[in-house]
Amino acid sequence: MNQKTASQSVLRRKPIDDMEEENKHSGLFKSLGLWQLTAIGVGGIIGVGIFSLAGLVAHGSEGNPGVGPAVLVSFLIAGLASGAAALSYAEFAGMIPRAGSAYTYGYVALGEIIGWFIGWDLLLEYIAIVAVVAIGISGYFDAFLSGIGIHMPTWMTSTADEGKGGIINLPAILVCLLVTWILSRGTKAFGRFELVAVAIKVILILFIIGLGIFYVDTQNYNPFMPSGFGPVVAGAATVFFAVFGYDAMSTAAEEAKDGKKHMPKAIILSLIIAMLLYVAATLVLTGMQNYKDIDPTAGFASAFNGVGLPVIATIISVFAVLSILTVMLTFLLGVTRVWFSMSRDGLLPGWFAKTDRHGTPQRVTWIAGIASAFLAGVFPIKEVADLTNIGILAAFVVVCVSVIVFRYTKPNAPRTFRLPLMPVVPAFGVLASAFLMFQLHWETWVRFGVWLVIGLVIYFSYGFKHSLMNPASPRHLQESKPSA
């Protein structure tokens, strides 16, 4: 194969026309309606962002000064960047209701190597997201037990890098395994659980806002931006983790009853609902307690303790644990569906794409769940959160570029939703996402780069040759044989 041919092969694009037939034989069950999809999106967006990351960014951490009440601005910056990407996702989801999400969008618009990189990137990022949320749940679980007089040993509630004398985060490990078991029961059962759990979560947040507003001391808003604007922007790169749950939700498109019609609506609805709640919640949090006193792992629990309402703090800790589970479920769903889609396309072994009687890819579900448990058990929350953000921001760049390219290369492709102000909106999404990426520490870039290099090795040693887009692929030849 000469260099020109190799280059063309690496950039081969998956035709949209092939996907309708593939979807019919995917083994995934179509059981999700509009409100279940919206619940999955809201469930993925709202959770650790309010209950943990808001407090972490406001209070600050080692090497990251606290931004105080300006954490609200951090969320707005992240939300603005995310909104541009959300519209891009919505256009693609209406055209290609398929399990791969950003992986598939990059594959059909920019070529196989780009799709591979984003898919490989998302495998790590989604697993890391499940881990960071589990760490957040662990903090609230510890706060709940402390509120009823039970104190867990430090060695089992924090990692060695946190400097608290801990060895392993056992609650975080256990919650990862619990969520994996729930998802393994099948999409229909998962969708029902998610709908109920998200309703409870929204009611809890409205209760927190409604009660907390009576304990707001406006003196806590002064100074509003104690560390200047630079840390606020850096904080936006960290809390960005909290505003992109619709990305993982879009991986469930193949399991939607009417993906082309419902996916764009669910993406936009989930982001609007989440941002309204984020703005109100961060105002209440930083108004109730001085940012220096906020517990970075259990912000609202510490805020209500600070105003003399320990019983409310305990209640919040209990329901925070339950509500944050929905974030873990959404992103664990995401990693399994991206993995499934890459395996179905031949870029990873087909062994991973097998589904069971529930229409669930059990093998990748348990592998991803155990991997997230390992990350949650041994790494601190800040490092894992930054690792997730750089990968998702990279995916947003690719999706925004893809929607521009596809609008001009496939202008007549049927679209149930067309994002406005093309190409201004997706171009803004590219610039904003790239800008936030460069706010992250260089160590995060190194880890990201190492992961992509490993992915490159795997692609050229396996995926390139076994891709179904390669006419010489063993799986392509086998699946092309006429049935007896």
PDB file of all heavy atoms in Angstrom, residues 81-118:
ATOM      1  N   ALA A  81     -19.788  27.938  26.411  1.00  0.00           N
ATOM      2  CA  ALA A  81     -19.002  27.092  25.503  1.00  0.00           C
ATOM      3  C   ALA A  81     -19.739  25.791  25.225  1.00  0.00           C
ATOM      4  O   ALA A  81     -19.786  25.303  24.087  1.00  0.00           O
ATOM      5  CB  ALA A  81     -17.638  26.808  26.117  1.00  0.00           C
ATOM      6  N   SER A  82     -20.349  25.244  26.266  1.00  0.00           N
ATOM      7  CA  SER A  82     -21.063  23.983  26.112  1.00  0.00           C
ATOM      8  C   SER A  82     -22.303  24.145  25.240  1.00  0.00           C
ATOM      9  O   SER A  82     -22.661  23.237  24.486  1.00  0.00           O
ATOM     10  CB  SER A  82     -21.467  23.460  27.492  1.00  0.00           C
ATOM     11  OG  SER A  82     -22.067  22.194  27.393  1.00  0.00           O
ATOM     12  N   GLY A  83     -22.959  25.314  25.326  1.00  0.00           N
ATOM     13  CA  GLY A  83     -24.158  25.549  24.538  1.00  0.00           C
ATOM     14  C   GLY A  83     -23.908  25.484  23.047  1.00  0.00           C
ATOM     15  O   GLY A  83     -24.703  24.924  22.288  1.00  0.00           O
ATOM     16  N   ALA A  84     -22.775  26.051  22.614  1.00  0.00           N
ATOM     17  CA  ALA A  84     -22.441  26.015  21.198  1.00  0.00           C
ATOM     18  C   ALA A  84     -22.225  24.575  20.735  1.00  0.00           C
ATOM     19  O   ALA A  84     -22.669  24.175  19.648  1.00  0.00           O
ATOM     20  CB  ALA A  84     -21.180  26.850  20.935  1.00  0.00           C
ATOM     21  N   ALA A  85     -21.566  23.797  21.579  1.00  0.00           N
ATOM     22  CA  ALA A  85     -21.346  22.392  21.241  1.00  0.00           C
ATOM     23  C   ALA A  85     -22.662  21.623  21.280  1.00  0.00           C
ATOM     24  O   ALA A  85     -22.896  20.737  20.456  1.00  0.00           O
ATOM     25  CB  ALA A  85     -20.330  21.774  22.201  1.00  0.00           C
ATOM     26  N   ALA A  86     -23.540  21.965  22.230  1.00  0.00           N
ATOM     27  CA  ALA A  86     -24.825  21.269  22.354  1.00  0.00           C
ATOM     28  C   ALA A  86     -25.649  21.395  21.076  1.00  0.00           C
ATOM     29  O   ALA A  86     -26.284  20.433  20.633  1.00  0.00           O
ATOM     30  CB  ALA A  86     -25.609  21.817  23.544  1.00  0.00           C
ATOM     31  N   LEU A  87     -25.646  22.582  20.483  1.00  0.00           N
ATOM     32  CA  LEU A  87     -26.384  22.779  19.240  1.00  0.00           C
ATOM     33  C   LEU A  87     -25.788  21.937  18.111  1.00  0.00           C
ATOM     34  O   LEU A  87     -26.516  21.420  17.257  1.00  0.00           O
ATOM     35  CB  LEU A  87     -26.377  24.261  18.861  1.00  0.00           C
ATOM     36  CG  LEU A  87     -27.173  25.181  19.802  1.00  0.00           C
ATOM     37  CD1 LEU A  87     -26.921  26.649  19.442  1.00  0.00           C
ATOM     38  CD2 LEU A  87     -28.657  24.865  19.738  1.00  0.00           C
ATOM     39  N   SER A  88     -24.468  21.797  18.117  1.00  0.00           N
ATOM     40  CA  SER A  88     -23.812  20.959  17.116  1.00  0.00           C
ATOM     41  C   SER A  88     -24.196  19.497  17.313  1.00  0.00           C
ATOM     42  O   SER A  88     -24.492  18.768  16.354  1.00  0.00           O
ATOM     43  CB  SER A  88     -22.282  21.127  17.200  1.00  0.00           C
ATOM     44  OG  SER A  88     -21.906  22.468  16.944  1.00  0.00           O
ATOM     45  N   TYR A  89     -24.184  19.050  18.569  1.00  0.00           N
ATOM     46  CA  TYR A  89     -24.611  17.679  18.870  1.00  0.00           C
ATOM     47  C   TYR A  89     -26.057  17.462  18.439  1.00  0.00           C
ATOM     48  O   TYR A  89     -26.409  16.399  17.913  1.00  0.00           O
ATOM     49  CB  TYR A  89     -24.484  17.407  20.372  1.00  0.00           C
ATOM     50  CG  TYR A  89     -23.138  16.876  20.803  1.00  0.00           C
ATOM     51  CD1 TYR A  89     -22.106  17.738  21.145  1.00  0.00           C
ATOM     52  CD2 TYR A  89     -22.899  15.504  20.875  1.00  0.00           C
ATOM     53  CE1 TYR A  89     -20.873  17.259  21.551  1.00  0.00           C
ATOM     54  CE2 TYR A  89     -21.673  15.007  21.278  1.00  0.00           C
ATOM     55  CZ  TYR A  89     -20.659  15.894  21.621  1.00  0.00           C
ATOM     56  OH  TYR A  89     -19.434  15.402  22.012  1.00  0.00           O
ATOM     57  N   ALA A  90     -26.906  18.466  18.686  1.00  0.00           N
ATOM     58  CA  ALA A  90     -28.321  18.328  18.361  1.00  0.00           C
ATOM     59  C   ALA A  90     -28.520  18.121  16.863  1.00  0.00           C
ATOM     60  O   ALA A  90     -29.353  17.305  16.440  1.00  0.00           O
ATOM     61  CB  ALA A  90     -29.090  19.560  18.845  1.00  0.00           C
ATOM     62  N   GLU A  91     -27.771  18.862  16.028  1.00  0.00           N
ATOM     63  CA  GLU A  91     -27.917  18.700  14.584  1.00  0.00           C
ATOM     64  C   GLU A  91     -27.496  17.305  14.156  1.00  0.00           C
ATOM     65  O   GLU A  91     -28.170  16.646  13.360  1.00  0.00           O
ATOM     66  CB  GLU A  91     -27.103  19.756  13.835  1.00  0.00           C
ATOM     67  CG  GLU A  91     -27.188  19.580  12.327  1.00  0.00           C
ATOM     68  CD  GLU A  91     -26.776  20.812  11.532  1.00  0.00           C
ATOM     69  OE1 GLU A  91     -27.066  21.936  11.982  1.00  0.00           O
ATOM     70  OE2 GLU A  91     -26.168  20.635  10.461  1.00  0.00           O
ATOM     71  N   PHE A  92     -26.353  16.834  14.693  1.00  0.00           N
ATOM     72  CA  PHE A  92     -25.883  15.505  14.320  1.00  0.00           C
ATOM     73  C   PHE A  92     -26.818  14.412  14.830  1.00  0.00           C
ATOM     74  O   PHE A  92     -27.092  13.442  14.140  1.00  0.00           O
ATOM     75  CB  PHE A  92     -24.470  15.264  14.866  1.00  0.00           C
ATOM     76  CG  PHE A  92     -23.395  15.529  13.858  1.00  0.00           C
ATOM     77  CD1 PHE A  92     -22.410  16.462  14.111  1.00  0.00           C
ATOM     78  CD2 PHE A  92     -23.361  14.840  12.653  1.00  0.00           C
ATOM     79  CE1 PHE A  92     -21.413  16.716  13.189  1.00  0.00           C
ATOM     80  CE2 PHE A  92     -22.366  15.075  11.722  1.00  0.00           C
ATOM     81  CZ  PHE A  92     -21.382  16.016  11.987  1.00  0.00           C
ATOM     82  N   ALA A  93     -27.309  14.569  16.080  1.00  0.00           N
ATOM     83  CA  ALA A  93     -28.173  13.546  16.659  1.00  0.00           C
ATOM     84  C   ALA A  93     -29.452  13.386  15.866  1.00  0.00           C
ATOM     85  O   ALA A  93     -30.009  12.286  15.776  1.00  0.00           O
ATOM     86  CB  ALA A  93     -28.492  13.901  18.107  1.00  0.00           C
ATOM     87  N   GLY A  94     -29.949  14.484  15.279  1.00  0.00           N
ATOM     88  CA  GLY A  94     -31.141  14.411  14.444  1.00  0.00           C
ATOM     89  C   GLY A  94     -30.895  13.721  13.118  1.00  0.00           C
ATOM     90  O   GLY A  94     -31.822  13.195  12.504  1.00  0.00           O
ATOM     91  N   MET A  95     -29.632  13.729  12.658  1.00  0.00           N
ATOM     92  CA  MET A  95     -29.285  13.063  11.405  1.00  0.00           C
ATOM     93  C   MET A  95     -28.869  11.618  11.625  1.00  0.00           C
ATOM     94  O   MET A  95     -29.210  10.721  10.846  1.00  0.00           O
ATOM     95  CB  MET A  95     -28.114  13.796  10.719  1.00  0.00           C
ATOM     96  CG  MET A  95     -28.442  15.096  10.053  1.00  0.00           C
ATOM     97  SD  MET A  95     -27.027  15.652   9.051  1.00  0.00           S
ATOM     98  CE  MET A  95     -25.792  15.940  10.334  1.00  0.00           C
ATOM     99  N   ILE A  96     -28.089  11.404  12.710  1.00  0.00           N
ATOM    100  CA  ILE A  96     -27.457  10.101  12.928  1.00  0.00           C
ATOM    101  C   ILE A  96     -27.764   9.621  14.345  1.00  0.00           C
ATOM    102  O   ILE A  96     -26.932   9.758  15.244  1.00  0.00           O
ATOM    103  CB  ILE A  96     -25.923  10.186  12.727  1.00  0.00           C
ATOM    104  CG1 ILE A  96     -25.588  10.921  11.432  1.00  0.00           C
ATOM    105  CG2 ILE A  96     -25.301   8.802  12.724  1.00  0.00           C
ATOM    106  CD1 ILE A  96     -24.123  11.247  11.271  1.00  0.00           C
ATOM    107  N   PRO A  97     -28.953   9.092  14.591  1.00  0.00           N
ATOM    108  CA  PRO A  97     -29.278   8.590  15.930  1.00  0.00           C
ATOM    109  C   PRO A  97     -28.596   7.245  16.181  1.00  0.00           C
ATOM    110  O   PRO A  97     -29.213   6.190  16.117  1.00  0.00           O
ATOM    111  CB  PRO A  97     -30.806   8.461  15.887  1.00  0.00           C
ATOM    112  CG  PRO A  97     -31.123   8.209  14.455  1.00  0.00           C
ATOM    113  CD  PRO A  97     -30.084   8.948  13.652  1.00  0.00           C
ATOM    114  N   ARG A  98     -27.296   7.296  16.470  1.00  0.00           N
ATOM    115  CA  ARG A  98     -26.486   6.090  16.590  1.00  0.00           C
ATOM    116  C   ARG A  98     -25.708   6.096  17.897  1.00  0.00           C
ATOM    117  O   ARG A  98     -25.404   7.143  18.456  1.00  0.00           O
ATOM    118  CB  ARG A  98     -25.518   5.997  15.409  1.00  0.00           C
ATOM    119  CG  ARG A  98     -24.967   4.598  15.148  1.00  0.00           C
ATOM    120  CD  ARG A  98     -24.237   4.581  13.818  1.00  0.00           C
ATOM    121  NE  ARG A  98     -23.860   3.226  13.422  1.00  0.00           N
ATOM    122  CZ  ARG A  98     -22.652   2.718  13.607  1.00  0.00           C
ATOM    123  NH1 ARG A  98     -21.717   3.441  14.204  1.00  0.00           N
ATOM    124  NH2 ARG A  98     -22.368   1.490  13.210  1.00  0.00           N
ATOM    125  N   ALA A  99     -25.328   4.924  18.366  1.00  0.00           N
ATOM    126  CA  ALA A  99     -24.739   4.772  19.692  1.00  0.00           C
ATOM    127  C   ALA A  99     -23.405   5.485  19.873  1.00  0.00           C
ATOM    128  O   ALA A  99     -23.030   5.807  20.985  1.00  0.00           O
ATOM    129  CB  ALA A  99     -24.571   3.281  20.019  1.00  0.00           C
ATOM    130  N   GLY A 100     -22.673   5.762  18.824  1.00  0.00           N
ATOM    131  CA  GLY A 100     -21.306   6.252  18.975  1.00  0.00           C
ATOM    132  C   GLY A 100     -21.130   7.705  19.349  1.00  0.00           C
ATOM    133  O   GLY A 100     -20.034   8.120  19.710  1.00  0.00           O
ATOM    134  N   SER A 101     -22.165   8.548  19.219  1.00  0.00           N
ATOM    135  CA  SER A 101     -22.068   9.968  19.575  1.00  0.00           C
ATOM    136  C   SER A 101     -20.913  10.641  18.834  1.00  0.00           C
ATOM    137  O   SER A 101     -20.792  10.515  17.627  1.00  0.00           O
ATOM    138  CB  SER A 101     -21.933  10.118  21.092  1.00  0.00           C
ATOM    139  OG  SER A 101     -21.906  11.468  21.482  1.00  0.00           O
ATOM    140  N   ALA A 102     -20.047  11.369  19.553  1.00  0.00           N
ATOM    141  CA  ALA A 102     -18.971  12.140  18.931  1.00  0.00           C
ATOM    142  C   ALA A 102     -18.053  11.266  18.079  1.00  0.00           C
ATOM    143  O   ALA A 102     -17.521  11.701  17.056  1.00  0.00           O
ATOM    144  CB  ALA A 102     -18.158  12.866  20.001  1.00  0.00           C
ATOM    145  N   TYR A 103     -17.855  10.026  18.505  1.00  0.00           N
ATOM    146  CA  TYR A 103     -17.043   9.092  17.718  1.00  0.00           C
ATOM    147  C   TYR A 103     -17.634   8.921  16.325  1.00  0.00           C
ATOM    148  O   TYR A 103     -16.942   9.029  15.300  1.00  0.00           O
ATOM    149  CB  TYR A 103     -16.954   7.746  18.444  1.00  0.00           C
ATOM    150  CG  TYR A 103     -16.744   6.568  17.538  1.00  0.00           C
ATOM    151  CD1 TYR A 103     -15.518   6.357  16.901  1.00  0.00           C
ATOM    152  CD2 TYR A 103     -17.782   5.654  17.285  1.00  0.00           C
ATOM    153  CE1 TYR A 103     -15.334   5.277  16.047  1.00  0.00           C
ATOM    154  CE2 TYR A 103     -17.599   4.580  16.439  1.00  0.00           C
ATOM    155  CZ  TYR A 103     -16.376   4.390  15.818  1.00  0.00           C
ATOM    156  OH  TYR A 103     -16.193   3.328  14.975  1.00  0.00           O
ATOM    157  N   THR A 104     -18.943   8.667  16.262  1.00  0.00           N
ATOM    158  CA  THR A 104     -19.598   8.472  14.972  1.00  0.00           C
ATOM    159  C   THR A 104     -19.626   9.748  14.152  1.00  0.00           C
ATOM    160  O   THR A 104     -19.392   9.725  12.936  1.00  0.00           O
ATOM    161  CB  THR A 104     -21.034   7.960  15.187  1.00  0.00           C
ATOM    162  OG1 THR A 104     -20.988   6.717  15.885  1.00  0.00           O
ATOM    163  CG2 THR A 104     -21.755   7.772  13.869  1.00  0.00           C
ATOM    164  N   TYR A 105     -19.890  10.889  14.796  1.00  0.00           N
ATOM    165  CA  TYR A 105     -19.951  12.154  14.071  1.00  0.00           C
ATOM    166  C   TYR A 105     -18.601  12.478  13.417  1.00  0.00           C
ATOM    167  O   TYR A 105     -18.544  12.925  12.268  1.00  0.00           O
ATOM    168  CB  TYR A 105     -20.362  13.295  15.003  1.00  0.00           C
ATOM    169  CG  TYR A 105     -21.610  13.032  15.817  1.00  0.00           C
ATOM    170  CD1 TYR A 105     -21.813  13.662  17.037  1.00  0.00           C
ATOM    171  CD2 TYR A 105     -22.602  12.148  15.370  1.00  0.00           C
ATOM    172  CE1 TYR A 105     -22.959  13.424  17.801  1.00  0.00           C
ATOM    173  CE2 TYR A 105     -23.735  11.897  16.120  1.00  0.00           C
ATOM    174  CZ  TYR A 105     -23.911  12.541  17.340  1.00  0.00           C
ATOM    175  OH  TYR A 105     -25.023  12.302  18.099  1.00  0.00           O
ATOM    176  N   GLY A 106     -17.522  12.257  14.179  1.00  0.00           N
ATOM    177  CA  GLY A 106     -16.192  12.487  13.614  1.00  0.00           C
ATOM    178  C   GLY A 106     -15.883  11.521  12.490  1.00  0.00           C
ATOM    179  O   GLY A 106     -15.246  11.885  11.491  1.00  0.00           O
ATOM    180  N   TYR A 107     -16.342  10.276  12.626  1.00  0.00           N
ATOM    181  CA  TYR A 107     -16.086   9.232  11.636  1.00  0.00           C
ATOM    182  C   TYR A 107     -16.734   9.575  10.299  1.00  0.00           C
ATOM    183  O   TYR A 107     -16.105   9.476   9.236  1.00  0.00           O
ATOM    184  CB  TYR A 107     -16.636   7.909  12.178  1.00  0.00           C
ATOM    185  CG  TYR A 107     -16.069   6.648  11.568  1.00  0.00           C
ATOM    186  CD1 TYR A 107     -16.235   5.428  12.211  1.00  0.00           C
ATOM    187  CD2 TYR A 107     -15.379   6.643  10.359  1.00  0.00           C
ATOM    188  CE1 TYR A 107     -15.730   4.247  11.682  1.00  0.00           C
ATOM    189  CE2 TYR A 107     -14.873   5.477   9.815  1.00  0.00           C
ATOM    190  CZ  TYR A 107     -15.050   4.278  10.486  1.00  0.00           C
ATOM    191  OH  TYR A 107     -14.545   3.113   9.953  1.00  0.00           O
ATOM    192  N   VAL A 108     -18.002  10.008  10.324  1.00  0.00           N
ATOM    193  CA  VAL A 108     -18.713  10.258   9.067  1.00  0.00           C
ATOM    194  C   VAL A 108     -18.304  11.583   8.428  1.00  0.00           C
ATOM    195  O   VAL A 108     -18.395  11.733   7.207  1.00  0.00           O
ATOM    196  CB  VAL A 108     -20.245  10.240   9.273  1.00  0.00           C
ATOM    197  CG1 VAL A 108     -20.711   8.907   9.812  1.00  0.00           C
ATOM    198  CG2 VAL A 108     -20.706  11.365  10.186  1.00  0.00           C
ATOM    199  N   ALA A 109     -17.837  12.542   9.221  1.00  0.00           N
ATOM    200  CA  ALA A 109     -17.542  13.866   8.671  1.00  0.00           C
ATOM    201  C   ALA A 109     -16.063  14.082   8.368  1.00  0.00           C
ATOM    202  O   ALA A 109     -15.719  14.709   7.367  1.00  0.00           O
ATOM    203  CB  ALA A 109     -18.010  14.952   9.641  1.00  0.00           C
ATOM    204  N   LEU A 110     -15.181  13.580   9.236  1.00  0.00           N
ATOM    205  CA  LEU A 110     -13.752  13.891   9.112  1.00  0.00           C
ATOM    206  C   LEU A 110     -12.875  12.693   8.799  1.00  0.00           C
ATOM    207  O   LEU A 110     -11.713  12.861   8.439  1.00  0.00           O
ATOM    208  CB  LEU A 110     -13.252  14.557  10.407  1.00  0.00           C
ATOM    209  CG  LEU A 110     -13.984  15.833  10.828  1.00  0.00           C
ATOM    210  CD1 LEU A 110     -13.421  16.354  12.144  1.00  0.00           C
ATOM    211  CD2 LEU A 110     -13.882  16.902   9.747  1.00  0.00           C
ATOM    212  N   GLY A 111     -13.404  11.494   8.952  1.00  0.00           N
ATOM    213  CA  GLY A 111     -12.622  10.317   8.604  1.00  0.00           C
ATOM    214  C   GLY A 111     -12.355   9.401   9.780  1.00  0.00           C
ATOM    215  O   GLY A 111     -12.527   9.754  10.945  1.00  0.00           O
ATOM    216  N   GLU A 112     -11.906   8.187   9.446  1.00  0.00           N
ATOM    217  CA  GLU A 112     -11.769   7.132  10.446  1.00  0.00           C
ATOM    218  C   GLU A 112     -10.757   7.446  11.533  1.00  0.00           C
ATOM    219  O   GLU A 112     -11.004   7.194  12.721  1.00  0.00           O
ATOM    220  CB  GLU A 112     -11.377   5.820   9.751  1.00  0.00           C
ATOM    221  CG  GLU A 112     -11.324   4.626  10.684  1.00  0.00           C
ATOM    222  CD  GLU A 112     -11.096   3.333   9.916  1.00  0.00           C
ATOM    223  OE1 GLU A 112     -12.084   2.786   9.392  1.00  0.00           O
ATOM    224  OE2 GLU A 112      -9.922   2.879   9.838  1.00  0.00           O
ATOM    225  N   ILE A 113      -9.620   8.009  11.172  1.00  0.00           N
ATOM    226  CA  ILE A 113      -8.587   8.257  12.178  1.00  0.00           C
ATOM    227  C   ILE A 113      -9.056   9.282  13.208  1.00  0.00           C
ATOM    228  O   ILE A 113      -8.766   9.167  14.400  1.00  0.00           O
ATOM    229  CB  ILE A 113      -7.255   8.712  11.514  1.00  0.00           C
ATOM    230  CG1 ILE A 113      -6.113   8.773  12.531  1.00  0.00           C
ATOM    231  CG2 ILE A 113      -7.426  10.046  10.809  1.00  0.00           C
ATOM    232  CD1 ILE A 113      -5.710   7.454  13.105  1.00  0.00           C
ATOM    233  N   ILE A 114      -9.819  10.285  12.756  1.00  0.00           N
ATOM    234  CA  ILE A 114     -10.366  11.281  13.690  1.00  0.00           C
ATOM    235  C   ILE A 114     -11.419  10.632  14.578  1.00  0.00           C
ATOM    236  O   ILE A 114     -11.452  10.846  15.800  1.00  0.00           O
ATOM    237  CB  ILE A 114     -10.971  12.480  12.935  1.00  0.00           C
ATOM    238  CG1 ILE A 114      -9.924  13.112  12.003  1.00  0.00           C
ATOM    239  CG2 ILE A 114     -11.513  13.510  13.925  1.00  0.00           C
ATOM    240  CD1 ILE A 114      -8.710  13.663  12.717  1.00  0.00           C
ATOM    241  N   GLY A 115     -12.291   9.827  13.962  1.00  0.00           N
ATOM    242  CA  GLY A 115     -13.294   9.116  14.735  1.00  0.00           C
ATOM    243  C   GLY A 115     -12.650   8.214  15.775  1.00  0.00           C
ATOM    244  O   GLY A 115     -13.096   8.154  16.927  1.00  0.00           O
ATOM    245  N   TRP A 116     -11.575   7.519  15.370  1.00  0.00           N
ATOM    246  CA  TRP A 116     -10.874   6.646  16.312  1.00  0.00           C
ATOM    247  C   TRP A 116     -10.339   7.439  17.500  1.00  0.00           C
ATOM    248  O   TRP A 116     -10.524   7.042  18.653  1.00  0.00           O
ATOM    249  CB  TRP A 116      -9.727   5.918  15.625  1.00  0.00           C
ATOM    250  CG  TRP A 116      -8.767   5.331  16.629  1.00  0.00           C
ATOM    251  CD1 TRP A 116      -7.631   5.898  17.116  1.00  0.00           C
ATOM    252  CD2 TRP A 116      -8.912   4.084  17.327  1.00  0.00           C
ATOM    253  NE1 TRP A 116      -7.056   5.088  18.054  1.00  0.00           N
ATOM    254  CE2 TRP A 116      -7.819   3.967  18.207  1.00  0.00           C
ATOM    255  CE3 TRP A 116      -9.870   3.067  17.284  1.00  0.00           C
ATOM    256  CZ2 TRP A 116      -7.648   2.858  19.037  1.00  0.00           C
ATOM    257  CZ3 TRP A 116      -9.690   1.958  18.109  1.00  0.00           C
ATOM    258  CH2 TRP A 116      -8.598   1.870  18.963  1.00  0.00           C
ATOM    259  N   PHE A 117      -9.662   8.535  17.217  1.00  0.00           N
ATOM    260  CA  PHE A 117      -9.068   9.315  18.299  1.00  0.00           C
ATOM    261  C   PHE A 117     -10.133   9.786  19.297  1.00  0.00           C
ATOM    262  O   PHE A 117      -9.927   9.729  20.508  1.00  0.00           O
ATOM    263  CB  PHE A 117      -8.300  10.519  17.745  1.00  0.00           C
ATOM    264  CG  PHE A 117      -6.857  10.223  17.464  1.00  0.00           C
ATOM    265  CD1 PHE A 117      -6.299  10.526  16.237  1.00  0.00           C
ATOM    266  CD2 PHE A 117      -6.053   9.647  18.433  1.00  0.00           C
ATOM    267  CE1 PHE A 117      -4.961  10.255  15.980  1.00  0.00           C
ATOM    268  CE2 PHE A 117      -4.723   9.371  18.185  1.00  0.00           C
ATOM    269  CZ  PHE A 117      -4.166   9.668  16.948  1.00  0.00           C
ATOM    270  N   ILE A 118     -11.265  10.263  18.777  1.00  0.00           N
ATOM    271  CA  ILE A 118     -12.307  10.744  19.679  1.00  0.00           C
ATOM    272  C   ILE A 118     -12.947   9.584  20.431  1.00  0.00           C
ATOM    273  O   ILE A 118     -13.223   9.683  21.635  1.00  0.00           O
ATOM    274  CB  ILE A 118     -13.366  11.542  18.895  1.00  0.00           C
ATOM    275  CG1 ILE A 118     -12.746  12.860  18.418  1.00  0.00           C
ATOM    276  CG2 ILE A 118     -14.591  11.826  19.746  1.00  0.00           C
ATOM    277  CD1 ILE A 118     -12.139  13.700  19.541  1.00  0.00           C
TER     278      ILE A 118
END
